[in-house]
Structure formats: C-alpha cells, structure tokens
Amino acid sequence: MCVSICTDGAAALTGSKKGFKAKVLEVSSNIMFNHCMIHREALASKKLQPDVNKVLLNAICVINFIKSKSLNSRLFTILCNEMGSDHEKLLLHTEVRWLSRGKILSRLFELRDEARIFLLEQFLSDNDVDINMIKEIITTHLISLLINFNARFEDFPEESLGWIRNPFHFNINEIKLGNLKISEELIDLSSDENLRIRFQENACDTFWISIKFEYPELSKQAISILLPFASTYLCETAFSTLTIIKNKYRSGLNVEADLRVAVSNIKPNIESIMSTMQAQVSH
C-alpha cells in the first residue's frame, strides 16, 4: 500500500490541478507528498558566498586539470600509489547529481597533499595562507547557509510533529492530532518513566514500533509519518545503477533481477546459490 510519494519539487509532479500529484489524489486522497530532503539541502547550499564559490570553482578547475587528460590522470595515480594514499583518483563534479559537490570536495581534501605536489611539479608555486581571512569567509558562509536552510525547510511542521521526535518534551496545546484517543495515549505515554528510559536507549522508529501493543493508535500515527521516504536518493541510485547494467551492449537484458541484487544491501550467499545449481559437465 502506498502511503507517501517523494518528489524533487518539479511543477509537473507537484501541480495541484494538472500535475502528477493531482492525478494521484483523485485516486487516493490520503497519500502524502513531500519534497526530497537531500534536494532541499542541495538547493540551499547552491547560494554560496562569492569567496566560497571561488574556492569551489578553483577546486573544480584543479580536478578537471588532473582528470581531463589521460596522461595527467595516470601520473596522479602513480603519485598516489608512491605516497601510499587511501585513494588513487579524484571524483568529477556533476551538477545534476546533488551529492557530487560534497563528495568531490571531500576526496580533494583527502588527497590535498598529493594534489599540491602534483600541481607544484606542473606550474604552481607554494603560497602562504591567511588563516584569519579564511575563518571570516567560512563564518559568513555558514550564516548565509543557515538562512537558506531555514527558508527551504520553513514548511516543515516542527510544532505539530515534534512529539514524534521526543514524546516526552512537547506542548499539548500546539499539537493537532485530530483524535481524542491519540491525545490521551500521548499524555499517558509522556508520564511513563519506564518508557522514557526505553526511548533514550532506542532509535526513534524502534521505540514507536515497540509500543504498538501498549498504545496502538498513537504508534500507528507516528509510524505512518515516519514511514514515507524522506528522499529520492534510493531512486536516483537505482537509475544510476540501471544505466551501468543496461547499456548499448546489453539492450535486450531483463534487468529486474540484476537491479534488485545491485541496489540491495543484502549480500547474496554465492556458495549456497551455486550448490543448488547443476554444473554443466564436458562432453
């Protein structure tokens, strides 16, 4: 049963009259729509301060200089091997992939010494860095980032849903549960010291599942809100995996089984699978 749909906020998906959302609500009015959390973070982080954006552009230039030419890429790999680095290659930045910006910067930071040595051997000179100026730039960027985050997440109903995050610290007057029984269960739960200890020892979703027999209505309400996907990341990962599996050399392939294995976190027991198969003997 579908209870929620996560989108990237495109008008074709979220349109209330002709969009995908309108068509879905015509069939089932109880389905919830939410905007991908990772996409919101990516949009908020796009508005960079000029100095920080300059750093990002310089980092991309460094990566492109090393990655764009096969000779430079091979020489950099050899340098990383000689220095015993954890990684051998830098990552390319792709604008349509929301997480690539953070990943390329993390990888470049991890290989900062190797990249510096490689560039010094090519054409750069070593320069001193003003630490105080960098601190000021970072502080300004973090303040701007906080403002953008608040603007992107302003529609999140923190007051009405905060009781799910912590059922022992809330204002009952700000909560709109729409059901007297659920409100009574929440009040009873908040005064139970044993459950308070259990809540501190377990994850939020584990706690709400564990009390489904003691407080069935309240648990059902909390789980129905926690259950929807908060991000389209799994979907994006599946599409990326699909482009690798089903390429022009395997265009007729039925990818359902292969895709399930590729995106699953469960590792198949190859020995057990092979033991059920009959080996083809030579004639």
Side-chain angles (χ1 to χ4, degrees):
M1 181 180 65
C2 180
V3 296
S4 175
I5 297 176
C6 184
T7 72
D8 60 359
L13 294 174
T14 59
S16 59
K17 294 183 178 180
K18 295 183 179 180
F20 173 73
K21 179 180 179 180
K23 301 298 182 182
V24 172
L25 294 179
E26 289 177 0
V27 179
S28 177
S29 59
N30 296 324
I31 292 181
M32 295 184 295
F33 279 78
N34 61 311
H35 192 163
C36 175
M37 297 298 177
I38 297 179
H39 190 222
R40 295 192 195 196
E41 293 176 358
L43 292 175
S45 63
K46 273 190 172 183
K47 294 183 179 180
L48 299 175
Q49 294 296 314
D51 293 327
V52 178
N53 188 56
K54 183 179 179 180
V55 172
L56 175 62
L57 294 178
N58 288 337
I60 294 175
C61 288
V62 170
I63 294 172
N64 290 340
F65 174 76
I66 298 175
K67 294 284 292 182
S68 60
K69 297 181 179 179
S70 58
L71 177 59
N72 288 345
S73 183
R74 290 197 300 271
L75 292 175
F76 187 76
T77 300
I78 295 172
L79 176 63
C80 292
N81 288 330
E82 292 176 350
M83 296 183 64
S85 307
D86 294 333
H87 307 287
E88 297 179 353
K89 297 180 179 179
L90 296 171
L91 302 177
L92 281 174
H93 170 60
T94 307
E95 187 66 28
V96 296
R97 298 197 175 191
W98 309 330
L99 301 180
S100 67
R101 184 184 302 176
K103 289 182 177 179
I104 66 164
L105 292 177
S106 298
R107 178 64 62 86
L108 181 61
F109 180 78
E110 293 172 357
L111 296 175
R112 59 190 182 280
D113 294 330
E114 292 83 352
R116 182 177 63 84
I117 293 174
F118 182 83
L119 295 175
L120 286 175
E121 291 177 352
Q122 298 294 323
F123 56 88
L124 294 181
S125 60
D126 206 354
N127 296 316
D128 294 330
V129 178
D130 188 348
I131 302 298
N132 293 326
M133 182 183 68
I134 293 179
K135 288 182 178 179
E136 183 178 351
I137 293 173
I138 293 176
T139 302
T140 305
H141 169 63
L142 292 178
I143 294 174
S144 175
L145 192 62
L146 178 60
I147 296 173
N148 291 332
F149 262 71
N150 291 334
R152 291 290 176 182
F153 290 87
E154 63 181 358
D155 60 335
F156 186 77
E158 179 66 29
E159 294 79 9
S160 60
L161 298 180
W163 62 272
I164 300 177
R165 183 182 301 174
N166 189 348
F168 301 95
H169 182 72
F170 63 91
N171 186 349
I172 192 63
N173 296 323
E174 296 179 352
I175 300 175
K176 297 179 181 180
L177 297 175
N179 190 316
L180 181 60
K181 183 174 178 57
I182 297 178
S183 300
E184 292 175 350
E185 288 186 359
L186 180 58
I187 294 173
D188 292 341
L189 182 148
S190 63
S191 59
D192 192 322
E193 291 299 325
N194 293 327
L195 291 180
R196 183 189 295 269
I197 296 174
R198 189 194 302 181
F199 177 77
Q200 295 173 351
E201 295 175 349
N202 294 278
C204 183
D205 54 347
T206 304
F207 170 78
W208 288 113
I209 294 173
S210 67
I211 64 168
K212 63 180 180 180
F213 296 110
E214 302 170 75
Y215 301 96
E217 296 296 328
L218 184 64
S219 175
K220 181 180 178 181
Q221 178 82 354
I223 293 174
S224 66
I225 296 174
L226 292 173
L227 185 62
F229 289 112
S231 170
T232 59
Y233 175 70
L234 293 178
C235 183
E236 297 292 336
T237 303
F239 275 120
S240 299
T241 306
L242 179 63
T243 58
I244 297 174
I245 296 176
K246 193 168 185 177
N247 50 47
K248 63 180 181 179
Y249 301 108
R250 309 174 73 188
S251 58
L253 177 68
N254 184 0
V255 300
E256 182 179 352
D258 296 36
L259 187 61
R260 183 182 294 111
V261 174
V263 301
S264 174
N265 293 326
I266 302 174
K267 294 184 178 180
N269 189 338
I270 303 298
E271 294 182 359
S272 176
I273 296 174
M274 295 301 297
S275 64
T276 60
M277 306 297 292
Q278 181 178 0
Q280 183 179 358
V281 297
S282 59
H283 299 286

